[in-house]
Structure formats: structure tokens, C-alpha cells
Amino acid sequence: MTLALTGLSHHSSPLTLRERMAISPERLGGALRSLKTRLDPAAPDSANTGAVILSTCNRMELYLRAEIPPESLHRIAREFLEEWHGLAEPEFAAFLYDHANADAVRHLFRVAASLDSLVVGETEILGQVQQAYESAHLSGTADKISAVLFQRALKTGKEARTRTRIGEGKVSVASVAVDLAESILKDFEGKTAMVVGSGTVSEQALKSVIGRGVDEVIVLNRTLENAHALAAKYRGEAASLHELQQHLHRADIIISSTGAPEEILGLEDFRAAMEKRGRAPMFVIDIAVPRDIDRKIADIDNVYYYDIDSLQQAADRNLRLRQGEVAACEAIVDEATDRFMAWRRSLFAEPTILSMAQEFHGIRERELSKTLDRLNGISPEQRQEIEYMTKRIVNGILQRPMTRIKEEVNSDDPNPVLLLVKRIFGLEENGL
């Protein structure tokens, strides 16, 4: 029973390739079914094969399970990617990585624990792993082994976050900025956020403050169409950058990132705005490089100013805190990997254990039938009680040997143990 992984991520490939190799949610079901069919074309619905696809902005990974060698599964994965995306293999092959069995399990568990993420400790990946498994389950491509694998991965990811501090502290500039704003303003309800420019980091910060209860949004941009486009996403109002001074006093939170070659807001602009707003606190996030805003505004009472350097320093401190927890998370991943592999190896013993149970209960049933035929005058209830008693005796006899067999097959080669058991109990001779 081989588990194999073929994939690419931000560690191994450029963004342009990941964009081309991504599989959209709308096409994911079809991709899963196509992939599973390739594992056993003669039995596409076989319970002995499984396929799960984890596709995010930072990774695209195929998890396959079948009773064929790892090399064959890696080849199937490459052929699928080539045909599904309409790419020639040389365009992407050099960026792929392959793992099998314990290495594939450990990789997935590290992914779920966010140890393989672009930002170590981020929380989004656990939901993405959950979604990957649910999609495979709904598509009928998650067999027993891959289902347990992904369930254990989710458990491992949660353990990493509850038993360590890997998820503490924000590590992106946008999230740090919003946390600082909340610590100063206390409550975002009834507050107005202004975005100057429409960059990615600005939008991330805007999205975060809206999620925490900001009531109004104003987006200003040199190109009014861009301002309208961003404002429409968050039901805000748009204005031209030329109107900035007219609206400045309205903002409780300002997020600025224009890419302008020189400052667009100075000390006097803020003094006038603070006068209009009755000295109410104003939180200013200047993410631009070079800066959009004169840093001297920090000297104005109730103006809280942070530029990209101060925010990045806070993010770096939080990242160092998380990095210190990596070793503890790796230990959790290793433990979970060992447990899963032990469970998987125990499955090798199931046919032999089933054969033992069938053999012993077959003997029980034959002898019970002879005995009951000789007993006259017993009631149906008594016959049933005798039958239950014989089942309990046989199950009691089998319990310890079955447990020891499962323990003994927890090795790289379980076949010697299983062959010995079959010989001792004559299972092979009986065709079992």
C-alpha cells in the first residue's frame, strides 16, 4: 500500500508557474475523479486507490494511494499534470518534489502545522487542508487510508497550535498595523477608515479593520476608477487623490500606500484635520516606500503614526517568537507520523487476523451444533445463552494473540510474523 506525494510550492517554484498549475474549486471535482481513474483504469471506483488534491496560492500537491510502487504513482501524477494543464512536462518537472510513504505523511503533517508555509504559524492552511479532504470525500476519491491520513493531518495541525506558541503574534505588516490600531482606538465600531492608494497590503489592512467593525470606508486614488473598484468591494465611497485634504479630518484610521515619489501629506495637513475633528484620536499607517506622510506628525497630540519600518520590526519580533516554537512543532509532527505509520502497518495484519477469527469461530460453530443437537429439553433462551458463552470464550482466547500480532507487524517487514502465524494455525493449509 503506497502513499505518494507529487507537488510544487513557494519553496520550489515561481509564482507564475503556481498560477498556471493551480486547480480552481470549480474544476477540482473533475480533476480528482480523473486522477483516481488513472490509478486503476480497470476499476476507477476501487476502494484500494485514493486521491486528494491540495491547491492553494502557495502550493499544488497531489496525494495518491494505490497498491503500486511509488515511482509509478509519481509518473501518474506527472502525466496528469501535463494533460490537465496542457503543459509539456519539461515546463514544470524541474520544480516538482516527490515523497512517498513516511516522507509523504510527514510532509503533509508539516504543511497542516504551518511549518512549510510562507509565513510560519499562519492559520489559513489548516482550513485549506480541511477543504481539500472534504472535496475528495464529496468526489468519492478519498479511500480509507487517505481519509485517515488527512484526518490525522488536521489533528496534528491543531495540536501544533494548542501545544505550542507557533500561532502567536501577527507576522504580516497589515495584521500588525490593525492590532496596534485596535490597542489604541479600543473599539472600531462607529469608526471611519481611509485608504490612500490601492496596493495589496493596503487592501489587506482595510479588509482586516472592516472585519473588526469599522463602519465607513473611504478609498482615494490618483486614478478614480481604481478607487471605485476597491471601494465597491467593501461598500465604501471613492474619491480622487486631489480631494485628500477635504476628507482627511473624517478618518479615524488612515492606511496610505500610493507609490508616490514624494510626501503627499504634511504636518500642516494633519494639524488642520485634527482641529476639525476636535482632537479625536487618529491612527496613521504609512506603508509606502518612500513614505507618503511626514513622520513629524507623530509629534501632534492624539496622532499615532507608524511607518513600514516600525511595523516590520513588530512583525519580525513576532516571527522570531514563532521560530522558537518550530522545534516543538517538529516533534509533534514526528510523533504523529510514527503513529500513523504504525497504524498503517497494522493493516497488514487484518487479513490474517480475520482468517484466525473465521477458523476459530468455524470450529466453535461446528462443536456447538453437535452439542446442542444432543441436549434435549433446553429452551431457545438457554440455547442462545450457550451460544453467547462460546463466542465470549473464543473472543477471549483470540484477544491477546490478535493484539500481539498487531504489535509485532509494526516493523518495516511484517511478512515473517504473518507467515509464522499462518503456519502455526494452519491458515494457509485451509486456504485462508
Side-chain angles (χ1 to χ4, degrees):
M1 293 185 289
T2 302
L3 278 167
L5 155 67
T6 294
L8 52 81
S9 73
H10 58 280
H11 293 300
S12 65
S13 61
L15 176 59
T16 52
L17 179 60
R18 297 200 302 276
E19 288 173 337
R20 297 178 69 188
M21 300 288 281
I23 300 175
S24 66
E26 295 77 19
R27 302 188 68 203
L28 185 56
L32 284 164
R33 289 185 288 273
S34 173
L35 191 54
K36 182 173 168 64
T37 298
R38 293 166 185 264
L39 298 176
D40 189 351
D45 296 324
S46 172
N48 295 322
T49 61
V52 183
I53 298 175
L54 176 59
S55 182
T56 73
C57 57
N58 285 327
R59 71 183 64 250
M60 195 290 304
E61 297 177 339
L62 310 179
Y63 291 85
L64 308 179
R65 211 281 298 179
E67 297 177 357
I68 55 179
E71 297 78 12
S72 299
L73 288 177
H74 297 321
R75 169 47 49 193
I76 289 172
R78 280 165 164 72
E79 290 173 352
F80 165 79
L81 292 173
E82 187 176 35
E83 295 177 22
W84 185 263
H85 294 292
L87 298 172
E89 186 173 341
E91 295 183 70
F92 61 83
F95 300 98
L96 295 180
Y97 44 81
D98 295 318
H99 298 302
N101 298 320
D103 290 338
V105 173
R106 183 175 289 103
H107 178 88
L108 176 60
F109 289 1
R110 292 188 78 256
V111 168
S114 79
L115 293 173
D116 197 62
S117 296
L118 183 63
V119 176
V120 173
E122 55 93 3
T123 58
E124 292 180 2
I125 187 60
L126 203 57
Q128 292 165 338
V129 171
Q130 172 80 41
Q131 188 174 18
Y133 166 68
E134 289 178 352
S135 296
H137 177 71
L138 291 173
S139 300
T141 66
D143 68 308
K144 176 182 177 180
I145 305 295
S146 56
V148 173
L149 171 65
F150 271 76
Q151 289 163 5
R152 296 279 184 94
L154 292 169
K155 182 179 179 182
T156 301
K158 291 174 184 176
E159 285 185 2
R161 286 164 177 78
T162 56
R163 290 170 52 187
T164 74
R165 301 168 66 190
I166 194 69
E168 290 187 11
K170 301 300 191 300
V171 294
S172 71
V173 168
S175 58
V176 168
V178 174
D179 277 358
L180 286 172
E182 190 171 38
S183 70
I184 292 167
L185 300 176
K186 305 302 181 186
D187 187 0
F188 286 173
E189 185 176 354
K191 298 294 191 294
T192 298
M194 174 185 287
V195 174
V196 186
S198 57
T200 301
V201 177
S202 296
E203 184 173 358
Q204 289 174 349
L206 175 59
K207 186 177 180 180
S208 185
V209 296
I210 290 173
R212 301 195 199 186
V214 162
D215 281 1
E216 292 186 62
V217 172
I218 309 169
V219 179
L220 298 99
N221 198 289
R222 195 174 307 278
T223 303
L224 189 57
E225 289 181 4
N226 293 342
H228 279 296
L230 181 56
K233 289 185 180 180
Y234 304 102
R235 294 182 302 223
E237 65 177 279
S240 168
L241 195 60
H242 299 298
E243 303 174 82
L244 181 54
Q245 283 76 13
Q246 300 174 31
H247 296 283
L248 187 60
H249 69 282
R250 299 171 54 194
D252 301 292
I253 303 167
I254 299 170
I255 305 163
S256 187
S257 179
T258 66
E262 54 189 22
E263 291 178 356
I264 61 172
L265 286 170
L267 189 61
E268 295 306 318
D269 295 319
F270 277 89
R271 283 176 174 166
M274 290 298 288
E275 194 70 34
K276 287 184 179 179
R277 57 189 281 109
R279 306 285 174 186
M282 179 183 285
F283 188 88
V284 183
I285 306 167
D286 187 357
I287 305 173
V289 180
R291 282 176 286 225
D292 285 334
I293 300 168
D294 186 345
R295 71 176 74 181
K296 293 178 183 177
I297 69 166
D299 297 331
I300 302 175
D301 289 341
N302 280 352
V303 173
Y304 301 88
Y305 171 78
Y306 294 88
D307 63 15
I308 189 72
D309 286 343
S310 56
L311 293 173
Q312 191 62 58
Q313 288 169 9
D316 289 345
R317 284 195 299 271
N318 290 336
L319 182 57
R320 285 194 294 273
L321 172 65
R322 291 186 179 193
Q323 291 288 1
E325 298 295 298
V326 167
C329 287
E330 294 283 9
I332 292 172
V333 166
D334 288 342
E335 291 173 8
T337 300
D338 291 342
R339 287 196 300 270
F340 177 84
M341 295 304 295
W343 169 79
R344 201 189 76 160
R345 285 190 292 267
S346 73
L347 298 181
F348 287 106
E350 286 189 352
T352 300
I353 289 174
L354 179 60
S355 295
M356 285 180 59
Q358 290 174 342
E359 176 73 3
F360 275 63
H361 280 287
I363 295 171
R364 177 191 66 81
E365 290 170 0
R366 289 193 296 272
E367 295 303 317
L368 177 63
S369 179
K370 294 176 185 177
T371 300
L372 291 177
D373 287 343
R374 291 195 298 267
L375 293 176
N376 296 319
I378 64 173
S379 66
E381 290 78 12
Q382 290 171 323
R383 292 175 67 90
Q384 189 176 57
E385 186 60 35
I386 293 171
E387 184 173 357
Y388 286 160
M389 179 192 66
T390 61
K391 286 182 179 179
R392 290 195 298 272
I393 291 172
V394 171
N395 289 337
I397 293 171
L398 287 173
Q399 182 176 7
R400 183 171 294 178
M402 288 180 173
T403 300
R404 291 303 301 272
I405 290 170
K406 289 181 180 179
E407 292 173 352
E408 292 296 328
V409 299
N410 190 16
S411 64
D412 292 334
D413 186 6
N415 289 317
V417 172
L418 299 179
L419 286 173
L420 179 61
V421 171
K422 290 176 182 179
R423 288 171 183 168
I424 289 173
F425 291 102
L427 300 180
E428 289 182 314
E429 289 78 358
N430 292 335
L432 297 171

